[in-house]
Amino acid sequence: MAKVLFPLVILDRYSLKARLAPALLTIFPGLALGFVLAHSALTMVRGLVVLFLSCGGILLLSQLGRDLGKRKEPQLFAEWGGAPTTRLMRHRDAANPVLVETYHRQLRLLFPDLEFPSAEEEIQDPERADLLYDTATRRLRELTRDRSRFPLVFEENCNYGFRRNLWGMRPFGLSLALCATSLMGVYLAVKTLSQGERVLVAEWASLAVATLWSLLWWRLVTPEWVESVARTYAERLLGAVEVLLKRTSTQGRPKT
């Protein structure tokens, strides 16, 4: 157990929650099915799992979770109509124009070299406006990496990373869960009808878990589910501008 847990020591909280957890949730039905069906080979299966995890499998899973999520992120942004921070800074998407003006005014003070467009200028050249908003977002992220000073930004970033990466792994997770459900159903049917053996509680539980996992992947892990936390993270990130401005007034302009 100590060997398995050792790689976890070198993963920070973001990696554990936003990268490793989605990967483990993805392969969980397969692992559960393997443990239930292994019987006499259980010791060997357990040994292989321990060997895989202790030899860097945990780190590999965390990277897979990140890569698949990042790869699908542009698709999410396209479906939403843009990155959440960009949409919050747009005049044309504004549910609250006063709030948009506040964002722009504060960001001008924080980044005086960026010229944020008026509503008319944004309509004339929306692509350039979005590039400016994206630039401001990237620079703002770099200024808010202090987790102790911006705990809400970090927490919502973890939540967004978790859901985004889980969405990125959805095709694999749903396929694996459906396969586990099908295999477990066939196994129980054969065992009951052909061999007349008593079905163990653990075997019924495995079928129930695999079925539930399939439903969760299908109904819960959706772009809308990711978008809700993405918007909250964007709001927390833009809300940090006021904190940065207060620090600027007392300590001088932060390095960008």
Side-chain angles (χ1 to χ4, degrees), residues 158-223:
C158 288
N159 292 334
Y160 168 62
F162 171 77
R163 294 195 186 189
R164 180 202 64 191
N165 294 342
L166 205 60
W167 164 253
M169 303 190 79
R170 183 179 187 269
F172 305 98
L174 180 57
S175 298
L176 185 57
L178 289 173
C179 286
T181 302
S182 301
L183 290 173
M184 199 64 214
V186 171
Y187 169 79
L188 291 177
V190 171
K191 184 176 181 180
T192 304
L193 300 177
S194 301
Q195 303 177 16
E197 296 182 24
R198 183 172 63 89
V199 178
L200 302 177
V201 174
E203 293 170 338
W204 283 115
S206 178
L207 176 61
V209 168
T211 303
L212 176 61
W213 233 245
S214 300
L215 291 173
L216 288 176
W217 279 112
W218 177 43
R219 300 297 297 174
L220 177 65
V221 184
T222 63

Side-chain angles (χ1 to χ4, degrees), residues 1 3-4 45-55:
M1 181 60 70
K3 292 181 179 179
V4 176
V45 173
R46 184 185 295 116
L48 289 174
V49 171
V50 170
L51 180 63
F52 169 72
L53 296 178
S54 61
C55 289

Side-chain angles (χ1 to χ4, degrees), residues 20-33:
L20 180 60
L24 292 176
L25 288 173
T26 299
I27 66 174
F28 172 73
L31 291 176
L33 179 64

Side-chain angles (χ1 to χ4, degrees), residues 142-153:
E142 293 302 317
L143 294 176
T144 55
R145 294 195 181 277
D146 187 340
R147 301 175 184 180
S148 62
R149 188 171 181 81
F150 303 99
L152 293 179
V153 174

Side-chain angles (χ1 to χ4, degrees), residues 3-119:
K3 292 181 179 179
V4 176
L5 293 178
F6 173 72
L8 296 177
V9 177
I10 60 178
L11 294 177
D12 60 17
R13 184 163 174 265
Y14 179 85
S15 295
L16 289 172
K17 181 176 182 178
R19 297 175 181 172
L20 180 60
L24 292 176
L25 288 173
T26 299
I27 66 174
F28 172 73
L31 291 176
L33 179 64
F35 274 88
V36 170
L37 300 182
H39 293 301
S40 60
L42 184 58
T43 301
M44 182 184 69
V45 173
R46 184 185 295 116
L48 289 174
V49 171
V50 170
L51 180 63
F52 169 72
L53 296 178
S54 61
C55 289
I58 287 178
L59 298 177
L60 175 62
L61 289 174
S62 70
Q63 291 301 307
L64 287 175
R66 175 191 181 277
D67 292 346
L68 291 172
K70 289 293 290 184
R71 192 178 302 169
K72 295 289 286 290
E73 191 172 60
Q75 176 185 333
L76 288 173
F77 289 173
E79 185 170 337
W80 299 340
T85 45
T86 297
R87 292 167 59 200
L88 286 177
M89 284 187 274
R90 283 175 181 163
H91 293 284
R92 60 187 184 275
D93 288 347
N96 185 343
V98 176
L99 184 59
V100 172
E101 290 293 344
T102 300
Y103 287 149
H104 285 204
R105 182 174 64 254
Q106 292 177 335
L107 287 167
R108 287 191 193 99
L109 294 174
L110 189 64
F111 304 126
D113 57 315
L114 296 181
E115 299 180 1
F116 290 88
S118 64

